[in-house]
Amino acid sequence: VCLLFQSLRQISQRTISTASRRQFENRVREKQKLFQEDNGIPVHLKGGLMDALLYRVTMGISVFGTAYVVYQLLVTSMPKKQK
């Protein structure tokens, strides 16, 4: 029984130690240079294509939502026609 627990412990330690070797490259310095560069691009768009896409989708939803709220306010402010 003791041998079984030792072997299980070794297997679990081995999988944890091999998983920790697969580390990602630290790209913080590259990102700092990219975001601190003075190129006239707003900081919320410096991340690239995905940032631009998310910005446009967010603005589209905001404009549509605002227009829909104004429409609903106009509809609710009109008195209902009585027959």
Side-chain angles (χ1 to χ4, degrees), residues 41-70:
I41 299 174
V43 72
H44 61 276
L45 296 176
K46 285 190 177 187
L49 181 65
M50 196 62 180
D51 280 353
L53 181 66
L54 286 172
Y55 174 74
R56 288 186 178 131
V57 167
T58 303
M59 290 306 293
I61 290 171
S62 299
V63 169
F64 175 76
T66 302
Y68 185 72
V69 166
V70 170

Side-chain angles (χ1 to χ4, degrees), residues 4-68:
L4 177 66
F5 285 127
Q6 282 182 338
S7 64
L8 286 174
R9 190 173 79 201
Q10 286 176 348
I11 290 171
S12 67
Q13 286 177 347
R14 194 173 306 136
T15 57
I16 290 172
S17 66
T18 56
S20 66
R21 288 183 199 154
R22 295 184 222 142
Q23 292 180 354
F24 294 102
E25 184 180 341
N26 189 355
R27 296 185 182 176
V28 173
R29 297 249 186 243
E30 295 171 19
K31 291 289 184 182
Q32 283 177 340
K33 286 179 186 176
L34 174 71
F35 282 93
Q36 290 176 355
E37 188 177 313
D38 188 19
N39 54 7
I41 299 174
V43 72
H44 61 276
L45 296 176
K46 285 190 177 187
L49 181 65
M50 196 62 180
D51 280 353
L53 181 66
L54 286 172
Y55 174 74
R56 288 186 178 131
V57 167
T58 303
M59 290 306 293
I61 290 171
S62 299
V63 169
F64 175 76
T66 302
Y68 185 72

Side-chain angles (χ1 to χ4, degrees), residues 65-81:
T66 302
Y68 185 72
V69 166
V70 170
Y71 170 76
Q72 287 297 324
L73 283 171
L74 288 173
V75 167
T76 55
S77 68
M78 299 293 175
K80 290 187 177 181
K81 294 181 180 178

